[in-house]
Amino acid sequence: MADRVYPTAKPNPQPPASTGAVPPPPAFPATKSQMYQRPMYRPPAPSKSRRRSRGSCCRCLCCWVVIVIILLILLAAIAGAIFYVLYRPHRPTFTVSSIQLSKFNVSSSNLLTSSLDLSIVARNPNKKLVFLYDDFTVSMTSNGADVGDGSIPGFRHDAKNTTILKLTAGVSGQSVDPSVVSDLKKSTVPLALDLETKAGVKIGSLKTKKVGIKVHCEGFQASAPAKGKPGVAATPDAVCQVKLRVKIWKWTF
């Protein structure tokens, strides 16, 4: 029987022949921060049912707002109709009954000195409404030139009442535009009258907030004073226009 032969040592492996390739870098073990790094949290997308519920809530809110606005408008219209049926409100009327020019002189340097006596009739045609006026500012003009300024004290204008307002308006040394000097030196002078004030309405014990009103009268032809006699307007009893002046923020209508 033949004996087995056992090699005493393993043969040393021979290194591979050099091919010119760079061996890969050695692998390092993962760091502790890399081993325990948490994944990025991403919130779940909202479900379709939640988005639908939000959209339906917004639509319901808009519908309620529109309904409330419509109801308020209807209530205001009903209240206005009831007020009109009960009280039949009318604007006050103003009439210029007389204008006299006691002084009206334009100097060679285009300076005007004037004095005008006015008589105005104010009527309240309402049966149950009382008007409360603040002080009036009065302005007389001729072709855009200021020929007289004055004022009227405020007063209470009772229902179905007629009040006569008298005042004297004038200017002293008022500079006049040269383009209208020739018209002011004529024998008859065209005039226009403007009154401005604030007025409120009283209904029983209730008082409304005062609003601005403007009274405009035009179409007067007043003769110039001559030989110490005052000039008189040729068109008395002219009815004036009454307009409300409502101010909204920076604008006045």
Side-chain angles (χ1 to χ4, degrees):
M1 183 174 177
D3 295 338
R4 292 183 180 180
V5 179
Y6 294 95
T8 60
K10 292 182 180 181
N12 294 329
Q14 297 295 328
S18 176
T19 59
V22 179
F28 295 96
T31 62
K32 187 178 291 186
S33 61
Q34 293 176 346
M35 294 174 62
Y36 296 98
Q37 185 176 7
R38 295 181 179 180
M40 183 180 296
Y41 174 75
R42 295 181 179 179
S47 61
K48 292 183 178 180
S49 60
R50 185 179 299 179
R51 285 181 290 181
R52 290 176 182 173
S53 62
R54 289 180 180 177
S56 60
C57 290
C58 292
R59 286 193 294 269
C60 290
L61 180 60
C62 293
C63 291
W64 277 111
V65 171
V66 173
I67 291 172
V68 170
I69 292 175
I70 293 175
L71 288 177
L72 291 176
I73 294 174
L74 289 176
L75 290 176
I78 293 171
I82 294 174
F83 177 81
Y84 181 80
V85 171
L86 292 177
Y87 295 100
R88 299 283 180 175
H90 296 280
R91 294 183 181 184
T93 61
F94 293 85
T95 303
V96 179
S97 58
S98 67
I99 300 178
Q100 291 184 351
L101 278 69
S102 57
K103 184 185 299 183
F104 202 85
N105 181 35
V106 181
S107 66
S108 58
S109 55
N110 298 336
L111 297 179
L112 173 65
T113 300
S114 65
S115 179
L116 301 91
D117 297 322
L118 305 174
S119 181
I120 303 170
V121 179
R123 294 183 177 89
N124 182 2
N126 298 282
K127 295 180 180 180
K128 300 180 181 180
L129 303 183
V130 177
F131 294 110
L132 305 174
Y133 295 106
D134 287 346
D135 293 346
F136 289 78
T137 58
V138 182
S139 176
M140 293 289 298
T141 58
S142 178
N143 293 326
D146 184 12
V147 298
D149 298 321
S151 63
I152 300 174
F155 63 97
R156 172 192 172 106
H157 205 181
D158 292 324
K160 287 294 182 179
N161 177 264
T162 299
T163 303
I164 299 176
L165 309 174
K166 294 186 177 182
L167 75 150
T168 299
V171 294
S172 179
Q174 175 73 32
S175 179
V176 179
D177 191 344
S179 60
V180 298
V181 169
S182 58
D183 294 332
L184 298 178
K185 290 183 177 181
K186 293 180 179 180
S187 58
T188 57
V189 180
L191 296 174
L193 172 66
D194 288 300
L195 308 175
E196 290 191 18
T197 186
K198 286 186 176 181
V201 178
K202 183 179 179 182
I203 309 169
S205 59
L206 177 64
K207 294 181 181 180
T208 65
K209 184 180 179 180
K210 291 184 178 181
V211 298
I213 65 171
K214 182 176 182 179
V215 182
H216 179 72
C217 318
E218 62 181 8
F220 307 112
Q221 295 288 335
S223 58
K227 296 181 180 180
K229 294 183 180 181
V232 180
T235 55
D237 298 327
V239 178
C240 307
Q241 296 179 352
V242 180
K243 297 181 180 180
L244 295 178
R245 293 175 60 85
V246 180
K247 186 175 183 180
I248 302 177
W249 196 25
K250 297 181 180 180
W251 298 276
T252 303
F253 302 93

